[in-house]
Amino acid sequence: MTTIDLTDTSASAVSSALINARRAAGNQAVGMVLTFVVVVDEATHYDAMRSALDAGREHPSRVLVVITRPGRGPARLDAEIRVADSRPGDTIVLRLFGELAKHADSVVLPLLLPDTPVAVWWPSKAPPVPGEDPLGVLAQRRITDSAASSQPIRALHQRAVSYQPGDTDLAWTRLTPWRALLAAALDQMPGATVTAATVEAERSNPSAEILGSWLGGRLGVEVTRRASSGPGITLVQMTTSGGPNIAPGDVVLSRPDGILAQLDLPGGPIRPVALRRRETAELLAEELRRLDPDDVYATVIKGCAPTERSA
Amino acid sequence: MRRDSEEPSGNPLRDPQDRRLPRIAGPCGLVIFGVTGDLSRKKLMPAVYDLANRGLLPPGFALVGFARRDWADQDFAQVVHESVKEHARTPFREETWKQLAEGFRFVQGDFDDDVAFDTLRKTIAELDVARGTSGNHAFYLSVPPKFFPNVVQQLKEHGLADSQGGAWRRVVIEKPFGHDLASAQELNRIVDEVFPTGSVFRIDHYLGKETVQNILALRFANQLFEPIWNANYVDHVQITMAEDVGIGGRAGYYDGIGAARDVIQNHLLQLLALTAMEEPVSFEAHALRTEKQKILSAVTLPDDLDLHSARGRYGAGWQGGIHVPGYLQEEGITRTSTTETFAALRVDVETRRWAGVPFYLRTGKRLGRRVTEIAVMFKRAPHLPFTSTATEELGANALVVRVQPDEGVTVRFGSKVPGTAMEVRDVTMDFAYGESFTESSPEAYERLILDVLLGDPPLFPRHEEVELSWQILDPVIEHWETLGAPETYAAGTWGPPSADEMLARDGRTWRRP
């Protein structure tokens, strides 16, 4: 691991220092598949960077950690370059002081890898319209996390009204295993019609809202919401009318402890199924697998737009 | 908003656009015969666990072990636990284990034991109720081929092969698929009698490897390579599968089989088919198979096998700093054995694309290092506007698909050496899987087991391909059998001198992989 600190520097100086560091370490910038921009504040940057680096094991990338420190001091860029021997890709922590904090794109743009996609992630606070943010504009994929906001449901509403192709939210990513199990459950009941659905979750859980929107949209039923003490989503129930050779009954997927769930299908035994809440790095790795707009998310998030009832 | 009427599955939660949703196998169980064997402990059980850990196995999945040991279900679970802890690729998680553990069953018995197969039938019926496996079961025959007929017959007699309603029964067999054309046909007859063709999965684990599947992506997803992928630009192709180990404790299996039957018949001819075939009209199983069969049926052997084939047997020697015994000194090998541990063969592919381009196949044990690769060697540039001294060090361009280890692709081409003089030397451009993709890509067995459970056959050779491969190889083996003992090569080298002579006759040399 080579670390180089540069204070009061510029993007071009960072760029040439990076090339020198890599040459010294003997590994070249081969195999990197994307640039991953992480926009954080000083307090949370360590955890976010760890997650980004872990995700980078699956998607070797150049990680640019952008820490803005606006204030009255002079505009200044400090950079910390890390080239690891044990991991593909490289990491640059950029600290933007004073006036420069408003012009992060001017620092990031020259450091993007040529001809490869760019993803940007706001681990906590996201801009109101990610697609119009100066850094967001540079990216094919803009990842927010409404659950990390201090007001998750309000953040989710904001995501819904500000959606642009390429946006995605980790509250949606967290649902993939749930959705996979629910879809697989209905695979086993061909012809059965779902007449009602319920989602039970902790209060202010944006994933539950999104799951409700997805189920409601796909199944064409009203989805009942129930509050529980969590963690996260604790139960999904789909009432089916039965079909040819299928008895009517409820599909119930419940997970009281956030780790091990139970699946109950009409006419079948109750079966345990692993449904652990995933680490942020795993969520990011899933996000980075596809960098084209997620059309399913687009439909679902629009269904989460604020209404009079929820506002 | 509702689009269920458009979907073939009729499942409103499925949407072709929703590419995040993985395909989870439907409710089902896997029965492993020979569950105490090495393959089962090191590959199959860990692969089952890894699949569960990735959320790809259905809740209620059942794993039934069948072997001679006197075990209870708990003992079996303990063995699986140990094998998973030791060999699984993904981290051990208690909740994944809980999901699986309730579905473990063990049935004790021999392959000719009617009572045991009756117990197996009852066990499966019980699982259908207790775990909701709905009558869907795959039988994995991880046993020596001589037991195949026995087990398959038993499955038939005890009604285990019959599927009822919408349920399925599938059978998985491992190579070798016979030891010549006649025995392969006999095996196919036995299996086909009991299971319909679509329910027989022949596992060649090489075809489950990411790099092998990447041959298709490399060739057919890119504009760059296909235009030069023919006799106009390609001089010849070398396909190598080298092992650094000897036969170890597998004398009983290996002696009398030899390198050609063990490796060329399946792995190398499959790699040849993927390298040489025309573009399939789709990546559906039947389309891929059609193209592979076309190529295999166009493969011809040289007229004089003595000049264009080589075989060898490793002698004692130093390999990587360790003194290793020769083949004849291995435990369980008789002094009169004529089995080859190295085989090299030239074949030609009689199509317009490959006319005049020889494919050299070689495989062996106790070679320089463990490596599998496909090297497409290009012709030299027709004219070099340099002085001959400038290009003295320049070889031919090459594109190498590294199948294992260090999976990736290498391109070799000439580049100017820095300095005032004009001098051109070979350099390589490398793509390594480990760099651009996940540090641990799924094991071949994970992919293959999941495909069996999903009923997805593209990666499994059909019996037609197996029989075509034997048709290619049978004359070679028959010829070799008339020749007596193979030539000895020192362990740790790249095979016998006759292999080098065989290429020298064509004015070529083997790549050192």
Side-chain angles (χ1 to χ4, degrees), chain B residues 153-191:
Chain B
Q153 268 310 315
Q154 286 280 31
L155 289 176
K156 183 186 177 187
E157 274 165 32
H158 292 84
L160 287 158
D162 313 328
S163 42
Q164 274 147 5
W168 50 257
R169 294 289 160 99
R170 297 182 183 133
V171 65
V172 185
I173 53 181
E174 282 265 354
K175 65 141 196 170
F177 312 118
H179 53 86
D180 58 13
L181 181 59
S183 61
Q185 282 169 335
E186 170 68 7
L187 174 67
N188 288 332
R189 193 186 55 72
I190 291 167
V191 177

Tab-separated table of all heavy atoms in Angstrom, chain B residues 153-191:
chain	number	residue	atom	x	y	z
B	153	GLN	N	-30.770	-48.631	-13.290
B	153	GLN	CA	-31.774	-49.688	-13.283
B	153	GLN	C	-32.574	-49.693	-11.980
B	153	GLN	O	-33.793	-49.834	-11.984
B	153	GLN	CB	-31.096	-51.061	-13.456
B	153	GLN	CG	-31.001	-51.525	-14.903
B	153	GLN	CD	-32.327	-51.420	-15.646
B	153	GLN	OE1	-33.357	-51.813	-15.121
B	153	GLN	NE2	-32.283	-50.857	-16.845
B	154	GLN	N	-31.851	-49.515	-10.879
B	154	GLN	CA	-32.513	-49.493	-9.573
B	154	GLN	C	-33.501	-48.334	-9.482
B	154	GLN	O	-34.593	-48.471	-8.947
B	154	GLN	CB	-31.473	-49.371	-8.448
B	154	GLN	CG	-30.694	-50.637	-8.203
B	154	GLN	CD	-31.471	-51.633	-7.370
B	154	GLN	OE1	-32.677	-51.690	-7.423
B	154	GLN	NE2	-30.754	-52.437	-6.598
B	155	LEU	N	-33.087	-47.178	-10.019
B	155	LEU	CA	-33.981	-46.019	-9.991
B	155	LEU	C	-35.258	-46.347	-10.744
B	155	LEU	O	-36.360	-45.981	-10.339
B	155	LEU	CB	-33.285	-44.805	-10.626
B	155	LEU	CG	-32.140	-44.186	-9.820
B	155	LEU	CD1	-31.477	-43.071	-10.613
B	155	LEU	CD2	-32.644	-43.646	-8.493
B	156	LYS	N	-35.084	-47.071	-11.860
B	156	LYS	CA	-36.241	-47.416	-12.664
B	156	LYS	C	-37.139	-48.401	-11.907
B	156	LYS	O	-38.345	-48.201	-11.782
B	156	LYS	CB	-35.772	-48.030	-13.977
B	156	LYS	CG	-36.911	-48.360	-14.926
B	156	LYS	CD	-36.381	-49.101	-16.127
B	156	LYS	CE	-37.518	-49.501	-17.047
B	156	LYS	NZ	-37.022	-50.348	-18.123
B	157	GLU	N	-36.520	-49.457	-11.386
B	157	GLU	CA	-37.303	-50.514	-10.768
B	157	GLU	C	-38.091	-50.030	-9.555
B	157	GLU	O	-39.157	-50.536	-9.265
B	157	GLU	CB	-36.390	-51.679	-10.357
B	157	GLU	CG	-36.166	-52.641	-11.498
B	157	GLU	CD	-34.997	-53.568	-11.223
B	157	GLU	OE1	-34.781	-53.897	-10.039
B	157	GLU	OE2	-34.307	-53.946	-12.186
B	158	HIS	N	-37.520	-49.064	-8.850
B	158	HIS	CA	-38.214	-48.586	-7.660
B	158	HIS	C	-39.057	-47.353	-7.931
B	158	HIS	O	-39.416	-46.626	-7.010
B	158	HIS	CB	-37.215	-48.347	-6.524
B	158	HIS	CG	-36.630	-49.634	-6.022
B	158	HIS	ND1	-35.555	-50.224	-6.636
B	158	HIS	CD2	-37.001	-50.451	-5.029
B	158	HIS	CE1	-35.275	-51.353	-6.005
B	158	HIS	NE2	-36.133	-51.520	-5.037
B	159	GLY	N	-39.317	-47.115	-9.189
B	159	GLY	CA	-40.230	-46.029	-9.544
B	159	GLY	C	-39.691	-44.654	-9.256
B	159	GLY	O	-40.438	-43.684	-9.209
B	160	LEU	N	-38.367	-44.562	-9.052
B	160	LEU	CA	-37.806	-43.246	-8.708
B	160	LEU	C	-37.621	-42.371	-9.931
B	160	LEU	O	-37.452	-41.167	-9.828
B	160	LEU	CB	-36.461	-43.443	-7.993
B	160	LEU	CG	-36.596	-43.971	-6.575
B	160	LEU	CD1	-35.311	-44.631	-6.126
B	160	LEU	CD2	-36.956	-42.850	-5.637
B	161	ALA	N	-37.620	-43.000	-11.125
B	161	ALA	CA	-37.383	-42.227	-12.344
B	161	ALA	C	-38.674	-41.666	-12.917
B	161	ALA	O	-38.637	-40.831	-13.812
B	161	ALA	CB	-36.690	-43.099	-13.383
B	162	ASP	N	-39.821	-42.139	-12.414
B	162	ASP	CA	-41.082	-41.680	-12.992
B	162	ASP	C	-41.497	-40.363	-12.370
B	162	ASP	O	-41.580	-40.247	-11.152
B	162	ASP	CB	-42.203	-42.705	-12.730
B	162	ASP	CG	-41.748	-44.107	-13.062
B	162	ASP	OD1	-40.930	-44.221	-13.987
B	162	ASP	OD2	-42.182	-45.047	-12.372
B	163	SER	N	-41.796	-39.413	-13.212
B	163	SER	CA	-42.300	-38.150	-12.678
B	163	SER	C	-43.815	-38.140	-12.833
B	163	SER	O	-44.349	-38.641	-13.814
B	163	SER	CB	-41.672	-36.979	-13.420
B	163	SER	OG	-41.630	-37.239	-14.793
B	164	GLN	N	-44.475	-37.582	-11.843
B	164	GLN	CA	-45.928	-37.525	-11.893
B	164	GLN	C	-46.392	-36.085	-11.898
B	164	GLN	O	-45.752	-35.223	-11.313
B	164	GLN	CB	-46.519	-38.253	-10.681
B	164	GLN	CG	-46.651	-39.737	-10.949
B	164	GLN	CD	-46.449	-40.559	-9.704
B	164	GLN	OE1	-46.306	-40.001	-8.617
B	164	GLN	NE2	-46.424	-41.854	-9.874
B	165	GLY	N	-47.502	-35.844	-12.558
B	165	GLY	CA	-48.036	-34.503	-12.636
B	165	GLY	C	-47.029	-33.593	-13.323
B	165	GLY	O	-46.398	-33.964	-14.298
B	166	GLY	N	-46.840	-32.413	-12.788
B	166	GLY	CA	-45.894	-31.495	-13.400
B	166	GLY	C	-44.491	-31.655	-12.845
B	166	GLY	O	-43.604	-30.872	-13.166
B	167	ALA	N	-44.267	-32.666	-11.992
B	167	ALA	CA	-42.966	-32.797	-11.337
B	167	ALA	C	-41.919	-33.329	-12.307
B	167	ALA	O	-42.246	-33.885	-13.347
B	167	ALA	CB	-43.083	-33.725	-10.145
B	168	TRP	N	-40.636	-33.148	-11.949
B	168	TRP	CA	-39.576	-33.677	-12.817
B	168	TRP	C	-38.636	-34.566	-12.046
B	168	TRP	O	-38.491	-34.453	-10.830
B	168	TRP	CB	-38.816	-32.566	-13.523
B	168	TRP	CG	-38.309	-31.445	-12.649
B	168	TRP	CD1	-38.848	-30.203	-12.533
B	168	TRP	CD2	-37.152	-31.441	-11.783
B	168	TRP	NE1	-38.132	-29.438	-11.652
B	168	TRP	CE2	-37.082	-30.167	-11.169
B	168	TRP	CE3	-36.180	-32.380	-11.457
B	168	TRP	CZ2	-36.082	-29.804	-10.269
B	168	TRP	CZ3	-35.179	-32.025	-10.554
B	168	TRP	CH2	-35.145	-30.747	-9.976
B	169	ARG	N	-38.013	-35.484	-12.784
B	169	ARG	CA	-36.912	-36.294	-12.257
B	169	ARG	C	-35.779	-36.143	-13.254
B	169	ARG	O	-36.000	-36.271	-14.455
B	169	ARG	CB	-37.315	-37.772	-12.149
B	169	ARG	CG	-38.408	-38.034	-11.136
B	169	ARG	CD	-37.904	-37.866	-9.716
B	169	ARG	NE	-38.966	-37.648	-8.761
B	169	ARG	CZ	-39.479	-38.587	-7.975
B	169	ARG	NH1	-39.043	-39.815	-8.058
B	169	ARG	NH2	-40.424	-38.293	-7.112
B	170	ARG	N	-34.582	-35.874	-12.754
B	170	ARG	CA	-33.451	-35.691	-13.659
B	170	ARG	C	-32.289	-36.530	-13.170
B	170	ARG	O	-32.180	-36.821	-11.983
B	170	ARG	CB	-33.032	-34.224	-13.729
B	170	ARG	CG	-34.120	-33.354	-14.289
B	170	ARG	CD	-33.745	-31.890	-14.430
B	170	ARG	NE	-34.935	-31.189	-14.916
B	170	ARG	CZ	-35.412	-30.060	-14.420
B	170	ARG	NH1	-34.776	-29.458	-13.439
B	170	ARG	NH2	-36.491	-29.502	-14.903
B	171	VAL	N	-31.411	-36.890	-14.071
B	171	VAL	CA	-30.244	-37.654	-13.668
B	171	VAL	C	-28.986	-36.938	-14.170
B	171	VAL	O	-28.973	-36.382	-15.266
B	171	VAL	CB	-30.316	-39.118	-14.168
B	171	VAL	CG1	-30.261	-39.166	-15.689
B	171	VAL	CG2	-29.205	-39.959	-13.566
B	172	VAL	N	-27.990	-36.890	-13.303
B	172	VAL	CA	-26.745	-36.200	-13.641
B	172	VAL	C	-25.633	-37.238	-13.666
B	172	VAL	O	-25.445	-37.962	-12.688
B	172	VAL	CB	-26.411	-35.135	-12.577
B	172	VAL	CG1	-25.191	-34.336	-12.996
B	172	VAL	CG2	-27.596	-34.229	-12.329
B	173	ILE	N	-24.901	-37.318	-14.762
B	173	ILE	CA	-23.759	-38.225	-14.792
B	173	ILE	C	-22.489	-37.449	-15.118
B	173	ILE	O	-22.512	-36.438	-15.805
B	173	ILE	CB	-23.954	-39.411	-15.761
B	173	ILE	CG1	-24.336	-38.925	-17.157
B	173	ILE	CG2	-25.015	-40.353	-15.235
B	173	ILE	CD1	-24.551	-40.063	-18.125
B	174	GLU	N	-21.403	-37.955	-14.576
B	174	GLU	CA	-20.097	-37.311	-14.744
B	174	GLU	C	-19.318	-38.065	-15.796
B	174	GLU	O	-19.536	-39.249	-16.003
B	174	GLU	CB	-19.330	-37.395	-13.417
B	174	GLU	CG	-19.774	-36.394	-12.385
B	174	GLU	CD	-18.907	-35.147	-12.408
B	174	GLU	OE1	-17.898	-35.117	-13.135
B	174	GLU	OE2	-19.251	-34.200	-11.691
B	175	LYS	N	-18.328	-37.404	-16.412
B	175	LYS	CA	-17.459	-38.113	-17.313
B	175	LYS	C	-16.686	-39.160	-16.503
B	175	LYS	O	-16.535	-38.994	-15.300
B	175	LYS	CB	-16.509	-37.141	-17.996
B	175	LYS	CG	-15.534	-36.471	-17.014
B	175	LYS	CD	-14.153	-36.321	-17.577
B	175	LYS	CE	-13.186	-36.032	-16.461
B	175	LYS	NZ	-11.814	-36.082	-16.772
B	176	PRO	N	-16.114	-40.214	-17.062
B	176	PRO	CA	-16.115	-40.475	-18.502
B	176	PRO	C	-17.449	-41.062	-18.952
B	176	PRO	O	-18.057	-41.846	-18.230
B	176	PRO	CB	-15.010	-41.521	-18.639
B	176	PRO	CG	-15.012	-42.234	-17.335
B	176	PRO	CD	-15.403	-41.227	-16.301
B	177	PHE	N	-17.861	-40.656	-20.144
B	177	PHE	CA	-19.072	-41.207	-20.724
B	177	PHE	C	-18.648	-42.356	-21.624
B	177	PHE	O	-18.551	-42.222	-22.829
B	177	PHE	CB	-19.825	-40.129	-21.495
B	177	PHE	CG	-19.973	-38.842	-20.715
B	177	PHE	CD1	-19.416	-37.659	-21.175
B	177	PHE	CD2	-20.644	-38.832	-19.501
B	177	PHE	CE1	-19.547	-36.489	-20.453
B	177	PHE	CE2	-20.781	-37.655	-18.772
B	177	PHE	CZ	-20.226	-36.485	-19.246
B	178	GLY	N	-18.335	-43.489	-21.007
B	178	GLY	CA	-17.839	-44.644	-21.753
B	178	GLY	C	-16.343	-44.549	-21.967
B	178	GLY	O	-15.706	-43.580	-21.567
B	179	HIS	N	-15.777	-45.610	-22.605
B	179	HIS	CA	-14.350	-45.562	-22.906
B	179	HIS	C	-14.085	-45.724	-24.388
B	179	HIS	O	-12.952	-45.714	-24.843
B	179	HIS	CB	-13.591	-46.620	-22.088
B	179	HIS	CG	-14.167	-47.999	-22.230
B	179	HIS	ND1	-13.802	-48.820	-23.252
B	179	HIS	CD2	-15.103	-48.654	-21.504
B	179	HIS	CE1	-14.495	-49.973	-23.145
B	179	HIS	NE2	-15.283	-49.886	-22.096
B	180	ASP	N	-15.118	-45.902	-25.173
B	180	ASP	CA	-15.015	-45.836	-26.635
B	180	ASP	C	-16.435	-45.669	-27.166
B	180	ASP	O	-17.389	-45.566	-26.389
B	180	ASP	CB	-14.322	-47.066	-27.222
B	180	ASP	CG	-15.034	-48.368	-26.851
B	180	ASP	OD1	-16.184	-48.290	-26.356
B	180	ASP	OD2	-14.441	-49.437	-27.040
B	181	LEU	N	-16.559	-45.621	-28.485
B	181	LEU	CA	-17.869	-45.347	-29.067
B	181	LEU	C	-18.896	-46.386	-28.629
B	181	LEU	O	-20.011	-46.046	-28.222
B	181	LEU	CB	-17.755	-45.296	-30.594
B	181	LEU	CG	-19.058	-44.994	-31.335
B	181	LEU	CD1	-19.627	-43.659	-30.900
B	181	LEU	CD2	-18.841	-45.015	-32.838
B	182	ALA	N	-18.503	-47.655	-28.696
B	182	ALA	CA	-19.473	-48.712	-28.386
B	182	ALA	C	-19.960	-48.607	-26.944
B	182	ALA	O	-21.170	-48.670	-26.681
B	182	ALA	CB	-18.837	-50.082	-28.640
B	183	SER	N	-19.032	-48.400	-26.013
B	183	SER	CA	-19.441	-48.338	-24.610
B	183	SER	C	-20.244	-47.067	-24.328
B	183	SER	O	-21.139	-47.055	-23.491
B	183	SER	CB	-18.223	-48.423	-23.693
B	183	SER	OG	-17.364	-47.343	-23.942
B	184	ALA	N	-19.930	-45.993	-25.040
B	184	ALA	CA	-20.697	-44.755	-24.863
B	184	ALA	C	-22.126	-44.962	-25.339
B	184	ALA	O	-23.083	-44.515	-24.700
B	184	ALA	CB	-20.031	-43.611	-25.623
B	185	GLN	N	-22.251	-45.650	-26.467
B	185	GLN	CA	-23.593	-45.906	-26.986
B	185	GLN	C	-24.377	-46.791	-26.031
B	185	GLN	O	-25.571	-46.581	-25.810
B	185	GLN	CB	-23.511	-46.550	-28.374
B	185	GLN	CG	-23.203	-45.516	-29.445
B	185	GLN	CD	-22.855	-46.142	-30.778
B	185	GLN	OE1	-22.386	-47.289	-30.842
B	185	GLN	NE2	-23.066	-45.391	-31.845
B	186	GLU	N	-23.669	-47.771	-25.457
B	186	GLU	CA	-24.305	-48.677	-24.513
B	186	GLU	C	-24.798	-47.897	-23.285
B	186	GLU	O	-25.929	-48.068	-22.832
B	186	GLU	CB	-23.289	-49.758	-24.098
B	186	GLU	CG	-23.716	-50.654	-22.942
B	186	GLU	CD	-24.877	-51.562	-23.299
B	186	GLU	OE1	-25.260	-51.595	-24.485
B	186	GLU	OE2	-25.416	-52.214	-22.382
B	187	LEU	N	-23.930	-47.015	-22.784
B	187	LEU	CA	-24.308	-46.197	-21.629
B	187	LEU	C	-25.515	-45.319	-21.965
B	187	LEU	O	-26.461	-45.216	-21.180
B	187	LEU	CB	-23.117	-45.335	-21.192
B	187	LEU	CG	-23.405	-44.326	-20.088
B	187	LEU	CD1	-23.730	-45.023	-18.777
B	187	LEU	CD2	-22.217	-43.389	-19.892
B	188	ASN	N	-25.471	-44.707	-23.138
B	188	ASN	CA	-26.588	-43.856	-23.532
B	188	ASN	C	-27.882	-44.651	-23.637
B	188	ASN	O	-28.951	-44.160	-23.284
B	188	ASN	CB	-26.288	-43.185	-24.878
B	188	ASN	CG	-25.231	-42.115	-24.729
B	188	ASN	OD1	-25.098	-41.522	-23.669
B	188	ASN	ND2	-24.461	-41.881	-25.769
B	189	ARG	N	-27.751	-45.890	-24.134
B	189	ARG	CA	-28.935	-46.725	-24.271
B	189	ARG	C	-29.547	-46.988	-22.887
B	189	ARG	O	-30.756	-46.852	-22.692
B	189	ARG	CB	-28.567	-48.043	-24.955
B	189	ARG	CG	-29.764	-48.855	-25.436
B	189	ARG	CD	-29.320	-50.206	-25.974
B	189	ARG	NE	-28.532	-50.988	-25.020
B	189	ARG	CZ	-29.027	-51.579	-23.934
B	189	ARG	NH1	-30.303	-51.477	-23.650
B	189	ARG	NH2	-28.238	-52.266	-23.116
B	190	ILE	N	-28.667	-47.335	-21.940
B	190	ILE	CA	-29.142	-47.650	-20.589
B	190	ILE	C	-29.827	-46.447	-19.956
B	190	ILE	O	-30.909	-46.548	-19.387
B	190	ILE	CB	-27.958	-48.110	-19.707
B	190	ILE	CG1	-27.465	-49.467	-20.185
B	190	ILE	CG2	-28.357	-48.170	-18.246
B	190	ILE	CD1	-26.126	-49.859	-19.596
B	191	VAL	N	-29.198	-45.294	-20.078
B	191	VAL	CA	-29.761	-44.097	-19.439
B	191	VAL	C	-31.035	-43.650	-20.149
B	191	VAL	O	-32.028	-43.305	-19.514
B	191	VAL	CB	-28.712	-42.969	-19.410
B	191	VAL	CG1	-29.312	-41.707	-18.810
B	191	VAL	CG2	-27.502	-43.391	-18.590
